[in-house]
Amino acid sequence: MRLTGKGTLLLLRRSLAAGLSILESLDFDADDSEIVLEVPEPKLHFRELGALHFDIIGRSRQVQLHRAEWIAVDEDDQVVPNPVSMVAGYCTFNREEFLLDNVRALLDDEEVGGLLGQIIVVDQGTSRVKDHPAFDDLADRAGSRLQVIEQGNFGGTGGFTRSILEARSIPGATHMLLMDDDAVTEPESIFRVAAFQALAREDIGVGGQMLDMLRPMEVYEAGALLDPGSLGITTPIHRLRAETAASLEPFLEVGYTHYNAWWFFAFPLRVLDRVGLPLPLFIRGDDVEFGYRLHQAGITTTTVPGLGVWHEPFYLKRGGWQAYYDLRNMLILTSVHLDMNPRQIIKVFLKRVFTQLFCLNYYEVAILCEAVDDYLRGPKVVEGDPREIHKKLQVLRRDYPQESAPRAKCLPVVPPPPPPVSILQRRKHLLRCIWHQLSRPSPPAHAPAGRVIPDAYARWWSLSLADVVGVEDWHTESHRVYRRSRESLIKLAKHGLKAALALYRNHGRATSEWRAVKDRLTTSEFWHQYLGIEPKEREIEGETDRAQRAA
């Protein structure tokens, strides 16, 4: 670092094993001179490692820090950084203003601009980025560094994979950085991820944390692990307040995860020759599957502190078609990568079905059943036009519309009685709910909601005893209204049981079919055909190299 003035320089480390400790202390009396402090190795154990920072104590009227750098060296003091020429890839759908603000921020930072060989925007929206009033000026500034590609809506998977295909055809490109269009990116994160990749001794995936855009000091997620038993994921760090040094303790040790979501994820392009491209899953779970494939190939994914984006939180995106893709794609993932007991899968599926039936959420039950049906149809379900599936889900919504009640109705907010705790209480309450659902006719279609239940209490044990009830969700402009329907309950329960039986009988066959096509669905040849584009020469060479390695 370069300092002017008189004072004391402290090098400190905060670790889980030793807490806060002073590693070095140096008095300085400098007139614009360079000062170097070496970070000592752990004395006893690697758990002594943690987060480094420095303090400056001024002992004159003016102490000035001109510059500071953290420099990595190896045992021979000869570190040769890996070359990093990064391509940033955005997939966007009707988020023109968000997207252009992000691109502008990258272009405004000269250091970051020097690291990005190109910014590729894959526009899949119904309103186009190029038609936005701010686009022309930004495109003039960016010149050849910005490429906007328009294509149909192939979901996040199709958009990001198109950007990867384009990046592979750019001479000299070494790394890919995937980022969401609806997130606010700090350009310093891109500078840091490039530095991290340059110093990596092996191929590695580097992810950034997701911070809550509504609560900017809250880390919503920092990488995640696959949880096959629940057909879901677990997040080691979730909704962590990051306002004090003490609250950052979970980041004092390296966190390894199965995957990092694609709101901010960087990896070497050459790993694609080993693992292939993403599976065509449209949305929801595509990043999980790709990350888990990297993990199985021995390519580590780590979520690095100090890298991240502010993203629209997931609790604002509830109640839509997401449950279909979550279940279908997790069934595909587990078939391709794991040996799952079909009884465990059926147990999870039926629990979701009957929980949502008792929550009067008939649309979600319908799309969960569709997810199982489509999974059992085999790989052809993802090889066709994904927009047809999305249209099917929208048609189903017409059969089970989401009702709402304006807040202006001033419905009373009434918390329900506490939930049953013991096993005996739960069983009695469940029987009572079943009796209520089956013995009583459906309420009239025009019957209004007479009360509102707070969202935190809107669970099967409270909603299943209601006929028409509103749910108080602080993040929505109106109350969601759920209406009991005996006919829908019986119809969807039959569909769920039928789907469960089909899953039990055909899981082995479906697993074999999905595994048989996994390699083909992750090739450039498939993706070019799927997206309807022509391959470029450099991509063909890369695909040939991969085929030779496989042979």
Side-chain angles (χ1 to χ4, degrees), residues 17 25 67 69 123 184 207-208 241 287 352 388 425-426 445 461 522 549:
S25 176
R67 179 174 54 85
E69 293 178 310
D123 186 0
V184 176
R241 298 297 296 179
D287 47 5
R352 291 186 189 179
E388 294 303 315
Q425 287 177 330
R426 291 173 69 88
W461 46 267
T522 59
R549 287 190 181 93

Side-chain angles (χ1 to χ4, degrees), residues 3-215:
L3 286 163
T4 299
K6 183 179 181 179
T8 301
L9 176 62
L10 300 177
L11 177 63
L12 304 102
R13 174 190 284 143
R14 185 183 295 275
S15 70
L16 292 175
L20 183 64
S21 56
I22 299 175
L23 302 180
E24 297 286 347
S25 176
L26 176 68
D27 293 327
F28 63 89
D29 187 355
D31 183 13
D32 196 10
S33 61
E34 295 279 346
I35 298 176
V36 177
L37 284 180
E38 292 189 8
V39 179
E41 293 291 325
K43 294 178 180 179
L44 299 174
H45 198 269
F46 78 94
R47 289 293 183 188
E48 295 175 53
L49 298 173
L52 296 169
H53 71 277
F54 61 85
D55 285 347
I56 299 172
I57 302 173
R59 305 194 187 281
S60 63
R61 295 187 65 181
Q62 185 175 3
V63 176
Q64 186 173 359
L65 173 65
H66 300 275
R67 179 174 54 85
E69 293 178 310
W70 297 99
I71 300 174
V73 296
D74 63 10
E75 295 177 357
D76 300 323
D77 294 336
Q78 293 179 349
V79 171
V80 180
N82 301 317
V84 174
S85 177
M86 193 168 287
V87 177
Y90 285 102
C91 169
T92 187
F93 185 91
N94 295 353
R95 295 293 187 110
E96 301 92 334
E97 191 162 344
F98 249 123
L99 172 81
L100 293 175
D101 285 345
N102 279 325
V103 173
R104 188 179 298 108
L106 302 186
L107 296 173
D108 286 344
D109 192 304
E110 292 184 3
E111 285 188 297
V112 169
L115 295 169
L116 295 177
Q118 197 162 74
I119 301 170
I120 298 174
V121 174
V122 180
D123 186 0
Q124 301 186 136
T126 54
S127 57
R128 294 301 191 182
V129 171
K130 290 182 178 179
D131 295 332
H132 192 277
F135 175 77
D136 289 340
D137 288 342
L138 189 63
D140 290 341
R141 283 182 52 206
S144 61
R145 288 190 295 166
L146 176 62
Q147 181 183 5
V148 178
I149 299 168
E150 296 178 351
Q151 66 178 27
N153 184 14
F154 290 88
T157 318
F160 281 124
T161 304
R162 178 68 184 274
S163 71
I164 294 171
L165 291 171
E166 295 295 328
R168 295 184 81 185
S169 68
I170 298 174
T174 61
H175 290 74
M176 189 77 211
L177 173 61
L178 304 177
M179 292 185 289
D180 269 352
D181 61 339
D182 58 348
V184 176
T185 305
E186 170 56 56
E188 176 68 17
S189 291
I190 298 172
F191 184 79
R192 293 177 184 178
V193 76
F196 199 92
Q197 288 284 11
L199 295 171
R201 301 299 180 90
E202 57 189 24
D203 290 337
I204 187 171
V206 180
Q209 300 142 35
M210 172 187 156
L211 289 93
D212 189 328
M213 195 178 291
L214 289 183
R215 302 182 177 101

Side-chain angles (χ1 to χ4, degrees), residues 297-319:
I299 300 167
T300 299
T301 291
T302 185
T303 303
V304 178
L307 307 181
V309 297
W310 284 266
H311 195 286
E312 182 180 356
F314 299 141
Y315 53 77
L316 298 183
K317 303 179 179 180
R318 297 189 304 177

